């Protein structure tokens, strides 16, 4: 299987695009419309790989191994351009620069692919500029506008593009996409999805940010809650009430859930924190205490979900928690 093989959810869309490519009936511009995280960009990359592959399979699929495919996989192919919001919007100067670059370059092999992320964020001037480009499209160049909401795109631009709609990916496919995009393992991706509340974008941010470091720090503190003095509990509450307060509560819930699952089922195939299996097996929190702790954490989760003050919620949780053991 090629590294550019799209996920199952997009097979139909992809087959149509591939047919157009192999038949030489490509449009000059496409609009890929779909939800955040639906995999629009991986299809755009598969497209770019297919039109540039030096050694495609008999059905036109990119080989995934030639110099061109490898460059696309590593995001350093000279034929592929990305344009994305510079701050809050995509600005005129970005298209001016693109136009200059395109005019300076001679495409020797394949086809240039310009991928515009969050195209709905083009300013009016930028939109006019791309419209001019699309009215006289440069040779061997394909534009792919990636959008969530097509109604935010001017009809004059829409009329120049072929529209491709993407369905929201299934959960299994979402895992695959995240593994492909972030390089993390299945168990890590599942953990991030659970902690991020199933939102793909949040999961991606967590994986690209410091999820595992955050979890490590939280679990280190968990080990010592029973021996902390009030001052230390207050310091921890302060630390936990920042930007990631919600995620910290999820880390705690999933952790205690895993401890319970391990005790009750004695099998690791339902464990979410798979990489911490040893610590899970060694935990000696008495059953009764564990129930009490879980109730306290769930109470804090509820408080945060109704926008209670984060610091007060964390203080309250930690004070109650520390008393469970006494
Ligand atoms: Zn190739």
């Amino acid at each position: 299987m090629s590294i550019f093989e799209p996920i199952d959810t997009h097979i139909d869309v992809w087959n149509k695009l591939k047919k157009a490519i192999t038949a030489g009936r490509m449009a000059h511009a496409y609009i890929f419309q779909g939800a955040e995280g639906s995999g629009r960009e991986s299809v755009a990359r598969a497209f770019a790989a297919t039109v540039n592959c030096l050694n495609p399979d008999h059905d036109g699929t990119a080989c995934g191994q030639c110099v061109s495919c490898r460059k696309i996989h590593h995001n350093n192919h000279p034929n592929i351009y990305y344009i994305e919001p510079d701050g809050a919007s995509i600005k005129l100067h970005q298209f001016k620069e693109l136009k200059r670059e395109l005019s300076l370059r001679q495409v020797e092999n394949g086809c240039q692919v310009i991928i515009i992320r969050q195209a709905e964020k083009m300013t009016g001037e930028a939109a006019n500029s791309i419209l001019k480009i699309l009215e006289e499209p440069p040779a061997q160049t394909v534009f792919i506008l990636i959008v969530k909401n097509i109604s935010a795109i001017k009809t004059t631009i829409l009329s120049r593009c072929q529209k491709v709609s993407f369905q929201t990916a299934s959960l299994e496919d979402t895992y695959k996409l995240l593994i492909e995009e972030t390089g993390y393992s299945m168990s890590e991706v599942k953990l991030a999805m659970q902690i991020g509340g199933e939102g793909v974008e949040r999961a991606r941010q967590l994986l690209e940010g410091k999820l595992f470091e955050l979890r490590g720090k939280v679990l280190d503190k968990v080990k010592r809650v029973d021996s902390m003095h009030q001052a230390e509990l207050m310091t921890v509450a302060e630390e936990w009430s920042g930007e990631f307060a919600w995620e910290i509560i999820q880390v705690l819930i999933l952790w205690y859930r895993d401890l319970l699952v391990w005790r009750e089922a004695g099998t690791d195939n339902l464990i979410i924190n798979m990489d911490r299996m040893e610590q899970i097996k060694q935990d000696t929190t008495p059953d009764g205490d564990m129930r009490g702790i879980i109730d306290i954490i769930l109470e804090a989760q509820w408080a945060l979900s109704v926008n209670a003050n984060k610091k007060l919620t964390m203080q309250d949780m930690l004070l109650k928690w520390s008393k469970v053991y006494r």
Side-chain angles (χ1 to χ4, degrees):
M1 194 175 119
S2 164
I3 43 173
F4 299 111
E5 199 71 48
I7 54 172
D8 291 348
T9 315
H10 301 332
I11 285 294
D12 286 347
V13 160
W14 175 239
N15 283 341
K16 277 183 202 150
L17 283 169
K18 208 162 64 174
K19 231 181 203 165
I21 296 170
T22 44
R25 284 186 285 104
M26 274 189 294
H28 290 294
Y30 291 91
I31 286 204
F32 283 9
Q33 187 242 330
E36 204 85 66
S38 58
R40 298 158 300 175
E41 203 168 310
S42 42
V43 172
R45 273 154 56 91
F47 186 101
T50 302
V51 294
N52 282 288
C53 180
L54 304 175
N55 186 25
D57 296 352
H58 57 92
D59 68 341
T61 308
C63 72
Q65 283 155 17
C66 67
V67 181
S68 167
C69 283
R70 272 184 281 136
K71 281 186 176 166
I72 289 174
H73 188 56
H74 293 115
N75 278 331
N76 58 10
H77 197 299
N79 278 359
I80 318 303
Y81 296 83
Y82 285 96
I83 291 193
E84 59 192 351
D86 170 17
S89 57
I90 297 176
K91 301 180 173 67
L92 177 62
H93 77 88
Q94 295 175 268
F95 286 118
K96 280 188 171 163
E97 281 156 29
L98 174 73
K99 244 168 135 175
R100 210 189 51 217
E101 279 230 28
L102 295 181
S103 69
L104 290 174
R105 293 193 56 238
Q106 188 84 41
V107 195
E108 283 166 16
N109 285 310
C111 176
Q112 306 185 101
V113 181
I114 323 294
I115 298 173
I116 306 175
R117 294 170 168 149
Q118 300 181 55
E120 55 264 83
K121 294 199 172 155
M122 290 186 286
T123 62
E125 283 176 318
N128 285 335
S129 163
I130 188 146
L131 183 59
K132 288 219 180 75
I133 300 176
L134 296 179
E135 279 167 354
E136 286 174 60
Q140 288 170 278
T141 306
V142 174
F143 289 81
I144 299 178
L145 283 68
I146 296 189
V147 303
K148 198 158 49 177
N149 178 8
I150 206 153
S151 62
I153 303 288
K154 285 184 173 198
T155 30
T156 42
I157 293 180
L158 286 181
S159 67
R160 301 263 163 196
C161 301
Q162 203 172 97
K163 192 184 142 198
V164 182
S165 292
F166 286 76
Q167 283 184 313
T168 305
S170 66
L171 196 56
E172 275 311 305
D173 275 354
T174 303
Y175 292 151
K176 273 192 220 161
L177 277 174
L178 281 172
I179 291 168
E180 179 194 310
E181 288 171 14
T182 65
Y184 279 97
S185 70
M186 179 62 103
S187 65
E188 288 163 332
V189 161
K190 279 188 176 169
L191 179 71
M193 285 287 281
Q194 296 263 355
I195 290 174
E198 306 281 314
V200 190
E201 278 318 299
R202 192 63 175 167
R204 195 195 319 269
Q205 280 172 14
L206 287 170
L207 289 165
E208 284 167 356
K210 296 189 168 146
L211 171 64
F212 295 98
E213 194 184 319
L214 175 78
R215 184 191 53 165
K217 281 186 186 162
V218 169
L219 294 183
D220 281 347
K221 296 269 162 48
V222 166
K223 280 189 224 158
R224 299 192 297 106
V225 173
D226 59 343
S227 60
M228 283 183 193
H229 296 297
Q230 181 148 349
E232 198 180 352
L233 290 168
M234 293 302 107
T235 313
V236 176
E238 176 99 46
E239 276 172 30
W240 287 3
S241 49
E243 185 197 348
F244 290 104
W246 178 260
E247 278 79 9
I248 288 171
I249 295 288
Q250 305 316 308
V251 165
L252 294 171
I253 291 172
L254 292 173
W255 181 249
Y256 280 97
R257 172 208 168 272
D258 276 357
L259 293 180
L260 276 184
V261 166
W262 172 248
R263 281 181 198 195
E264 285 170 11
T267 153
D268 63 8
N269 54 19
L270 294 169
I271 300 291
I272 292 163
N273 294 277
M274 269 305 284
D275 54 330
R276 295 251 175 175
M277 213 46 229
E278 281 314 302
Q279 199 181 333
I280 291 171
K281 287 180 182 169
Q282 283 160 13
D283 188 89
T284 53
T285 313
D287 280 354
D289 288 358
M290 194 128 82
R291 300 274 173 190
I293 294 167
I294 292 171
D295 283 347
I296 292 164
I297 300 169
L298 289 175
E299 202 182 306
Q301 182 193 35
W302 166 251
L304 290 188
S305 74
V306 295
N307 283 326
N309 180 291
K310 289 184 200 168
K311 195 164 139 190
L312 292 177
T313 303
M314 291 295 190
Q315 286 177 346
D316 185 51
M317 175 181 81
L318 285 160
L319 281 174
K320 285 182 182 159
W321 184 345
S322 69
K323 284 179 190 144
V324 166
Y325 305 100
R326 282 156 205 171

